[in-house]
Amino acid sequence: MSKPMVAIVGRPNVGKSTLFNRLAGKRISIVEDTPGVTRDRVYAESEWVGRPFTMIDTGGIEPESADIIIKQMRRQAQIAIEMADVIVFIVDGKEGLTAADQEVATMLRKSKKPVVLVVNKIDNLKDEANMYEFYNLGIGDPNTISASQGLGLGDMLDEVVKFFPEENEDEEEEENIKIAMVGKPNVGKSSLINKLLGEDRVIVSNVPGTTRDAIDSYLETEQGKFTLIDTAGLRRKSKVKEEIERYSVIRTYAAIERADVCILMIDATEGVTDQDEKIIGYAHELNKAIFVIVNKWDLIEKDGKTMANYQKDLQSNLKFLSYAPFLFISALTGQRVHKVLEMAKMCYGNYSKRIGTGILNDVISKAILMKEPPVVALKRLKVYYATQVAVCPPKFIFFVNDPSASHFSYERYLENQLRSSFDFTGTGLQIEYRQRKE
């Protein structure tokens, strides 16, 4: 099921990013060699009372004058309204009510979306009375918090969660393999979708997608049932203002978040770009099933080694996607298009694969016998046993003597052993090292 999206809106310096970072916790930290985690990260995963959700941060714009505040806030709030299931509207309890607050409140009232009004910087009891003037905004009862001190966050999140859609397992939806097509504009995403729909017309219908700016296409073939999610392409920053680029990333991320399989489409005449790495990095970070399509292959002059050399160059640029297969197609001529759904189904099969505990531990034991863990800080890792606890993506827990004794190179070795033994081609894996209770 897709996670609810919570947008944090408000004028600059009211504490949006402080709250965002507080709720995101350690997930927001920048991890080296993990694509998609940037210093100006605009989304994060969080959870409250067992309900996971995705936060959108609309912060980071520092306008030069009072006139630009209203203009920038309107742009931010409109996009946040469009994307979010629930909106957290933050105001500054120390500074009090401003014209910019009124402007945003007016837009939020028109949106008919659930809004939780949050008065920040209420650091002690004597400041509590500052909330009353915010009733003038006309969007409900204010919730007082101190984002910097972590006060009042539980009550605020209780209000947010009240507006989440009810959890229900839709069996019909579960049968559909949801595929997100991502990549820059004009690489042929829509052309490929149209080609797939045109060649496999058994059940085809178009309904508005839950990303609110995309159309989901449903089709059924001998391969199975599929939902194809087209996404807005990411433009270069020179062509689009930076704050708009942030929200095209959010829209594409929203599509990736609800997909099972993510296809990165690359223009064969252009190769892989920073934008491609950034957006597929999001999918990699979420351990989605992933494969790479190189489109417009008909435009490339070829000899016997062209495809192999091209794939080698791509793998060099996309080192973090060592597990992802490649497919070279032409959406225009139809070359190899029939293999797209076949490969998507193969990747999904591995994404939803479950391994028995007995055979899993046999493989891990043999891997450890072949290569002993290194000594880290005077300790050697000891793996007692492993078990798979989830699918989509496959998640494994290794019970060990001390997780701090694990070295990233050895973790990679064990992951590679899992991949080679059980064929997890085309899917991310989640592996957690947990101390066994004595």
Side-chain angles (χ1 to χ4, degrees):
M1 298 295 293
S2 180
K3 295 190 191 80
M5 300 196 84
V6 177
I8 301 175
V9 303
R11 57 188 175 80
N13 302 319
V14 293
K16 296 187 299 298
S17 294
T18 306
L19 176 62
F20 181 78
N21 290 336
R22 171 76 67 171
L23 296 180
K26 65 182 179 181
R27 291 175 187 262
I28 203 65
S29 61
I30 296 161
V31 181
E32 202 174 353
D33 294 332
T34 306
V37 187
T38 61
R39 283 174 175 77
D40 61 346
R41 186 166 176 180
V42 294
Y43 72 88
E45 306 303 318
S46 194
E47 185 178 318
W48 184 248
V49 293
R51 294 298 305 271
F53 59 94
T54 302
M55 292 185 296
I56 308 169
D57 182 17
T58 62
I61 297 172
E62 290 294 338
E64 295 171 7
S65 74
D67 291 337
I68 296 176
I69 291 179
I70 304 295
K71 186 176 171 186
Q72 298 284 29
M73 284 313 306
R74 183 178 290 114
R75 181 179 293 136
Q76 287 198 44
Q78 281 171 339
I79 297 170
I81 287 166
E82 179 188 327
M83 296 297 303
D85 295 294
V86 184
I87 297 161
V88 172
F89 177 26
I90 301 193
V91 292
D92 187 331
K94 280 195 164 47
E95 193 173 335
L97 191 57
T98 68
D101 294 330
Q102 293 278 16
E103 179 76 14
V104 179
T106 300
M107 296 173 58
L108 295 181
R109 277 197 304 274
K110 290 176 183 174
S111 75
K112 306 289 194 255
K113 289 282 183 78
V115 178
V116 176
L117 176 60
V118 175
V119 183
N120 190 26
K121 305 185 186 179
I122 305 298
D123 300 331
N124 51 59
L125 282 174
K126 66 181 175 62
D127 294 332
E128 283 278 342
N130 296 2
M131 73 172 178
Y132 292 111
E133 66 175 315
F134 293 101
Y135 276 101
N136 293 322
L137 292 171
I139 50 175
D141 296 332
N143 295 263
T144 59
I145 69 163
S146 170
S148 62
Q149 296 183 30
L151 302 174
L153 301 185
D155 290 342
M156 179 200 76
L157 288 168
D158 284 342
E159 288 300 310
V160 171
V161 169
K162 280 181 189 175
F163 295 111
F164 286 176
E166 283 188 25
E167 290 181 293
N168 63 344
E169 293 298 324
D170 189 333
E171 290 181 15
E172 187 64 30
E173 186 171 272
E174 291 302 311
E175 289 178 8
N176 280 280
I177 299 174
K178 294 182 283 298
I179 304 172
M181 305 273 188
V182 301
K184 293 189 308 170
N186 304 319
V187 294
K189 298 189 296 294
S190 297
S191 298
L192 175 58
I193 286 176
N194 290 338
K195 199 81 174 175
L196 290 170
L197 293 172
E199 289 181 356
D200 301 290
R201 78 183 67 144
V202 181
I203 298 173
V204 178
S205 64
N206 290 319
V207 297
T210 57
T211 50
R212 301 183 179 89
D213 71 332
I215 297 294
D216 287 2
S217 303
Y218 295 85
L219 80 150
E220 185 177 341
T221 75
E222 66 278 2
Q223 299 286 349
K225 296 177 182 178
F226 301 89
T227 301
L228 306 178
I229 308 166
D230 196 3
T231 62
L234 297 178
R235 291 172 171 78
R236 292 185 183 89
K237 295 206 175 188
S238 59
K239 294 184 180 176
V240 186
K241 288 185 179 178
E242 190 168 339
E243 66 270 19
I244 297 300
E245 170 73 4
R246 287 160 62 89
Y247 298 109
S248 65
V249 170
I250 290 170
R251 287 192 179 98
T252 305
Y253 170 74
I256 286 173
E257 201 277 331
R258 66 191 179 94
D260 301 307
V261 181
C262 298
I263 300 176
L264 172 64
M265 282 194 74
I266 293 169
D267 185 328
T269 62
E270 293 187 13
V272 69
T273 66
D274 289 345
Q275 286 89 353
D276 294 323
E277 289 186 44
K278 180 179 181 183
I279 200 64
I280 203 63
Y282 295 162
H284 167 74
E285 197 182 4
L286 294 172
N287 296 304
K288 296 288 184 178
I290 296 172
F291 70 98
V292 179
I293 284 180
V294 181
N295 191 26
K296 307 185 185 179
W297 193 239
D298 54 310
L299 302 180
I300 300 295
E301 288 187 26
K302 304 172 191 69
D303 59 32
K305 297 181 179 177
T306 307
M307 188 180 291
N309 290 337
Y310 199 104
Q311 181 167 330
K312 191 176 177 182
D313 288 343
L314 282 177
Q315 286 171 325
S316 176
N317 288 321
L318 298 169
K319 287 190 178 71
F320 60 95
L321 287 184
S322 57
Y323 54 86
F326 288 77
L327 184 62
F328 293 77
I329 72 162
S330 169
L332 183 66
T333 67
Q335 181 186 21
R336 297 192 195 89
V337 166
H338 66 283
K339 292 190 174 180
V340 171
L341 296 179
E342 190 180 306
M343 186 168 279
K345 189 170 185 185
M346 181 272 287
C347 291
Y348 180 78
N350 292 335
Y351 180 65
S352 55
K353 183 180 287 184
R354 188 175 288 280
I355 307 300
T357 302
I359 189 169
L360 172 65
N361 282 280
D362 284 348
V363 165
I364 297 301
S365 299
K366 285 174 186 171
I368 293 169
L369 280 173
M370 286 191 293
K371 185 177 179 180
E372 196 176 31
V375 174
V376 176
L378 303 179
K379 274 191 175 180
R380 193 186 299 278
L381 184 74
K382 184 174 182 182
V383 180
Y384 296 113
Y385 64 98
T387 185
Q388 184 176 356
V389 294
V391 294
C392 300
K395 180 179 180 180
F396 299 90
I397 293 180
F398 284 44
F399 289 92
V400 300
N401 56 337
D402 185 354
S404 67
S406 69
H407 191 270
F408 75 90
S409 63
Y410 197 75
E411 290 176 9
R412 191 170 296 164
Y413 163 72
L414 290 180
E415 179 179 333
N416 289 338
Q417 292 297 309
L418 282 180
R419 288 187 175 282
S420 61
S421 299
F422 301 114
D423 185 15
F424 283 111
T425 303
T427 182
L429 297 181
Q430 200 174 345
I431 301 175
E432 180 183 327
Y433 288 80
R434 192 179 290 178
Q435 186 165 9
R436 189 180 73 173
K437 297 283 189 292
E438 295 299 336

